[in-house]
Amino acid sequence: MLIERPPFLYRAFFPGAHWRFHKEEKVVYLTFDDGPIPEMTPWVLDVLDQYHIRATFFCVGDNVRKYPHIYREIMERGHLTGNHTFHHLQGLKVRSKTYLKDIQEAEERIESKLFRPPHGHMRLPQFFNLRKRYDVIMWDVVTRDYSCLMTPEQVFDNVKKYTRNGSVIVFHDSLKAEEKIKYALPKSIEWLLEQGYQFRLIGE
Ligand SMILES: [Zn+2]
């Protein structure tokens, strides 16, 4: 529970960061972290196309450097991108100067006003600095598709258990998540549609 749905106190640490949008409406916001990579991102794009859903991809700058054509495809297919640092740095493990410089390096390849901190960790000075020029997008539901402790079924269960109006939901277009997302993403989309949720793009 503490992982899948971040607790109120944790949210209160980061005033002005976004976890949910439009709580009064039956809408959800799909997001995908850590790509783009050829093994996973095109598969995710095809699934989203199949259901006519648009989503937000928080990209790692170094992956955009390696696979610029996949990054372009994300945008050409109508999705949004966000900055997820250049080297997937954890804010608590590095000095603020290093962290902010890494994000700036990613900015050269990712043109976006959206930022998501890897692992959801940031020092407060880092957050306050970033908040000035970014919308910091956290999440309301972590599917935990990246975790080797989870089965594909449990990842799908997390979506069913924790999604509510306005949830920002996180999946990963990463190799660690492959087995789980390939099962849980289509299942989750079908389930969310059955429940009457509409899929929105951040900012809509
Ligand atoms: Zn990440």
Side-chain angles (χ1 to χ4, degrees):
M1 170 80 187
L2 290 182
I3 299 179
E4 287 87 354
R5 177 184 286 171
F8 172 76
L9 260 182
Y10 187 65
R11 297 176 195 228
F13 262 123
F14 302 112
H18 301 281
W19 310 79
R20 289 168 82 186
F21 296 98
H22 298 289
K23 295 176 201 175
E24 68 292 348
E25 294 181 55
K26 208 151 172 83
V27 293
V28 290
Y29 300 80
L30 290 187
T31 64
F32 297 89
D33 287 7
D34 299 355
I37 58 166
E39 297 87 345
M40 287 306 301
T41 312
W43 179 85
V44 172
L45 290 172
D46 286 348
V47 171
L48 294 176
D49 268 2
Q50 199 185 322
Y51 293 97
H52 309 289
I53 291 169
R54 290 187 301 159
T56 305
F57 290 75
F58 287 92
C59 296
V60 172
D62 198 36
N63 285 339
V64 178
R65 178 188 65 79
K66 284 189 262 184
Y67 309 111
H69 57 290
I70 306 178
Y71 179 78
R72 275 197 304 275
E73 207 179 326
I74 293 172
M75 293 196 296
E76 280 165 14
R77 287 161 84 163
H79 306 286
L80 285 181
T81 59
N83 189 323
H84 198 47
T85 78
F86 196 87
H87 294 101
H88 205 260
L89 292 188
Q90 284 203 50
L92 298 180
K93 290 191 177 169
V94 295
R95 296 172 64 178
S96 291
K97 202 176 149 191
T98 310
Y99 191 64
L100 295 170
K101 202 166 156 253
D102 200 72
I103 292 160
Q104 216 166 21
E105 198 181 342
E107 258 166 46
E108 288 166 22
R109 297 172 193 272
I110 303 164
E111 208 182 306
S112 173
K113 285 284 153 221
L114 307 177
F115 174 76
R116 173 175 283 163
H119 306 277
H121 300 158
M122 281 173 294
R123 297 175 203 270
L124 281 182
Q126 295 166 351
F127 170 65
F128 286 117
N129 182 297
L130 291 164
R131 200 181 64 168
K132 285 188 232 159
R133 55 201 168 99
Y134 276 106
D135 283 332
V136 176
I137 310 296
M138 305 296 261
W139 50 77
D140 196 43
V141 182
V142 186
T143 61
R144 297 187 72 200
D145 55 354
Y146 55 82
S147 171
C148 58
L149 302 174
M150 303 291 279
T151 65
E153 291 79 9
Q154 286 172 320
V155 169
F156 176 38
D157 285 344
N158 282 337
V159 173
K160 290 191 281 188
K161 190 164 170 196
Y162 295 106
T163 300
R164 53 186 172 172
N165 283 3
S167 285
V168 175
I169 303 173
V170 187
F171 284 96
H172 290 78
D173 47 339
S174 70
L175 291 177
K176 270 192 219 164
E178 180 168 10
E179 186 202 348
K180 281 149 279 185
I181 193 178
K182 283 196 167 164
Y183 172 84
L185 180 63
K187 287 262 189 207
S188 298
I189 290 172
E190 298 271 356
W191 182 84
L192 289 162
L193 288 170
E194 273 167 33
Q195 302 301 307
Y197 284 104
Q198 281 188 354
F199 295 87
R200 290 239 185 108
L201 210 47
I202 288 171
E204 278 183 345

